[in-house]
Amino acid sequence: MNILILGSGGRESAFAWKVAQSAHCDKLFIAPGNAGTTQYGTNVNIKVTDFEGIKALVLKEDINLVLVGPEEPLVKGVHDFFLADEQLKNIPVVGPQQEGAQLEGSKDFSKQFMERHNIPTAAYRTFTKDTLQDGLTYLATAGLPVVLKADGLAAGKGVLICLTLEEAQTELTAMLADAKFGEASSRVVVEQFLTGIELSVFVMTDGNSYKILPEAKDYKRIGEGDTGLNTGGMGSISPVPFADAAYMKKVEEGVITPTIEGLKKDGIPYKGFIFIGLMNSNGEPWVIEYNCRMGDPETESVMRRIDSDFVDLLLGVAEGNLNEKEIIISPKTAATVVMVAGGYPGEYLKNKVITGTENVRDSIVFHAGTSMDGNDVITTGGRVLAITTVQDNMFSALQQATADASRIYYDGMYFRKDIGFDLL
Ligand code: AMP
Ligand code: GLY
């Protein structure tokens, strides 16, 4: 069968690497892809939100399955677009329809969903411009720190953790009255701050049954020792030692099952991934957020620990027989170190030539923000490469990924050398 992956980051590179190995896969296309995805398939320069362009490609190349990487096309309804089109309606899309994608597309929707289905999450209230005064009063009674979240998608920037009441009131006003995040902050969720260690849990579902994929830990801050500004993700590791069988049982019973059952009770169809961002507080899982897609750079580590045919699992999702499929998970440790552009996550350097990838010994170099310039591979994004290795134990995995990252060079390159070492 012919498969199309939508997206252009490290996550989509890891998907493409895994999908290309499947016995089910004849031709693989990636739209738009990056300089690295051409190793696994054919790049087609179409934007993930250009639904008409995607339609033309699917028909021209006789695509039989579409795997959606990022949230934006899902929240904008790419799956619904397929279902509503006579020529596309029988071509399966892995990724939820617009209603299910609201789990990520609206923080208020996801908080109401969790409340309705008794899924543990931080206490919250939602405010709009009309109820700004109530919000300011509420903040005065809420504990500190307090978390403000723009309701809609805000390119990962819509969450503010405020340490003082003054800061919280100023920011709430900026979000609601001055549209700090545009339409995305026309509603704001104010929630209690949770302490603990974060964990990314991934579930694949056909809307009825589900499979739990390997869990991972993501490192969001730019600086070593988890300091400095937030980024899209600087590295990941899987498995995560504290997420042992007993802990994952709590996650399954307290969070995953009620989430899948909740979707069913609410009549929300869902075929795709659910990424559950958890806070482990004293051994108890609390849901920080849902995403309607896989995480990046978690996917790079997760794909390397799935030993079974990934397309077979995608077909289970598409055809509604996921319960009949088997997922084989490697007991080894996968580690990913993300290499970023100089200046990232602020203004960053671009168009720098990348050298040394041929010196990498025992990792896969997944491309993220790269393009071709003649025969050169150049940097075009903030997150440039994701270096992923699998080893028998955690220490070797962390060492190998870090050592391999240091074999690559481009002007201004930076990566964290401490990914995963806090867990040893
Ligand atoms: P989100 O966009 O919901 O993923 O939030 C971004 C990040 O903010 C999360 O990954 C957490 O690190 C942090 N965060 C969000 N909500 C909370 C909370 N209630 N308590 C503590 N940290 C939070
Ligand atoms: N690694 C976090 C995310 O993909 O949102």
Side-chain angles (χ1 to χ4, degrees):
M1 62 191 301
N2 298 335
I3 299 172
L4 169 64
I5 297 174
L6 296 182
S8 62
R11 167 183 50 214
E12 289 75 19
S13 295
F15 275 153
W17 169 80
K18 189 73 185 152
V19 165
Q21 293 168 47
S22 167
H24 295 284
C25 183
D26 295 317
K27 286 194 208 156
L28 172 63
F29 296 87
I30 308 100
N34 58 44
T37 51
T38 52
Q39 299 166 71
Y40 320 116
T42 306
N43 285 354
V44 186
N45 195 13
I46 294 173
K47 280 208 237 155
V48 295
T49 50
D50 175 5
F51 296 171
E52 289 297 339
I54 293 167
K55 174 179 174 176
L57 172 66
V58 164
L59 297 177
K60 173 167 172 263
E61 300 294 352
D62 197 15
I63 300 292
N64 311 105
L65 180 80
V66 181
L67 170 58
V68 185
E71 64 280 10
E72 195 187 359
L74 295 169
V75 172
K76 290 188 170 156
V78 69
H79 194 156
D80 312 69
F81 174 85
F82 270 63
L83 290 173
D85 188 291
E86 265 317 302
Q87 290 172 288
L88 300 180
K89 68 180 183 194
N90 294 320
I91 298 168
V93 175
V94 177
Q97 293 164 58
Q98 217 161 9
E99 197 184 3
Q102 289 297 297
L103 281 183
E104 176 165 4
S106 166
K107 303 274 188 202
D108 180 55
F109 176 94
S110 78
K111 294 298 281 190
Q112 287 191 38
F113 177 88
M114 289 185 259
E115 200 167 48
R116 191 159 61 242
H117 301 293
N118 293 313
I119 296 165
T121 190
Y124 81 105
R125 290 270 304 271
T126 300
F127 300 98
T128 62
K129 197 173 184 175
D130 293 340
T131 56
L132 173 58
Q133 278 311 319
D134 297 342
L136 297 175
T137 310
Y138 176 75
L139 283 175
T141 62
L144 290 168
V146 65
V147 185
L148 308 187
K149 299 183 169 182
D151 180 59
L153 295 184
K157 297 195 164 63
V159 174
L160 303 173
I161 294 170
C162 301
L163 301 177
T164 66
L165 174 61
E166 192 191 357
E167 183 191 358
Q169 290 184 328
T170 305
E171 292 295 350
L172 185 67
T173 307
M175 286 164 97
L176 290 175
D178 310 327
K180 176 166 180 164
F181 299 106
E183 183 54 30
S185 67
S186 61
R187 275 191 294 182
V188 174
V189 167
V190 176
E191 82 176 28
Q192 173 203 359
F193 179 78
L194 299 171
T195 50
I197 309 181
E198 287 181 58
L199 178 72
S200 301
V201 169
F202 301 100
V203 182
M204 217 174 172
T205 180
D206 59 7
N208 206 19
S209 66
Y210 62 83
K211 298 273 185 233
I212 303 175
L213 304 183
E215 79 287 351
K217 186 171 187 289
D218 165 29
Y219 291 78
K220 288 211 170 75
R221 302 297 191 98
I222 187 73
E224 284 169 11
D226 282 326
T227 53
L229 294 173
N230 251 323
T231 70
M234 296 297 292
S236 68
I237 173 132
S238 175
V240 179
F242 71 76
D244 58 12
Y247 186 80
M248 290 308 287
K249 185 162 184 272
K250 277 190 200 174
V251 172
E252 182 163 18
E253 288 172 357
V255 178
I256 297 174
T257 311
T259 298
I260 303 292
E261 291 307 315
L263 288 167
K264 278 194 245 181
K265 275 185 208 147
D266 292 347
I268 301 173
Y270 202 108
K271 283 176 180 292
F273 299 98
I274 307 176
F275 163 178
I276 307 170
L278 292 178
M279 186 69 86
N280 174 25
S281 262
N282 300 317
E284 294 303 320
W286 294 76
V287 179
I288 291 185
E289 61 166 347
Y290 289 112
N291 295 302
C292 60
R293 50 163 174 96
M294 288 293 290
D296 192 352
E298 291 97 324
T299 305
E300 292 88 318
S301 292
V302 169
M303 285 300 124
R304 296 217 52 195
R305 289 192 59 223
I306 298 180
D307 284 344
S308 34
D309 187 324
F310 187 57
V311 176
D312 206 42
L313 295 168
L314 297 176
L315 286 172
V317 170
E319 291 163 3
N321 57 359
L322 188 60
N323 58 330
E324 293 166 20
K325 307 287 184 183
E326 193 191 5
I327 177 163
I328 303 168
I329 294 173
S330 162
K332 294 185 180 185
T333 296
T336 298
V337 169
V338 173
M339 303 184 66
V340 302
Y344 177 83
E347 278 289 308
Y348 55 82
L349 298 174
K350 284 188 187 159
N351 305 323
K352 301 297 177 191
V353 175
I354 301 170
T355 57
T357 49
E358 69 283 3
N359 299 328
V360 167
R361 298 207 184 136
D362 202 12
S363 302
I364 295 181
V365 178
F366 290 124
H367 287 229
T370 66
S371 301
M372 292 306 294
D373 180 20
N375 288 326
D376 290 330
V377 178
I378 57 167
T379 70
T380 45
R383 290 192 289 174
V384 176
L385 301 168
I387 315 304
T388 305
T389 192
V390 177
Q391 302 291 334
D392 288 336
N393 66 63
M394 199 158 92
F395 186 71
S396 332
L398 300 177
Q399 265 197 329
Q400 189 65 49
T402 309
D404 276 336
S406 62
R407 297 187 165 97
I408 299 174
Y409 181 78
Y410 50 87
D411 229 8
M413 70 106 182
Y414 169 76
F415 60 91
R416 276 179 61 172
K417 296 180 191 69
D418 67 335
I419 297 300
F421 284 97
D422 58 319
L423 296 174
L424 278 175

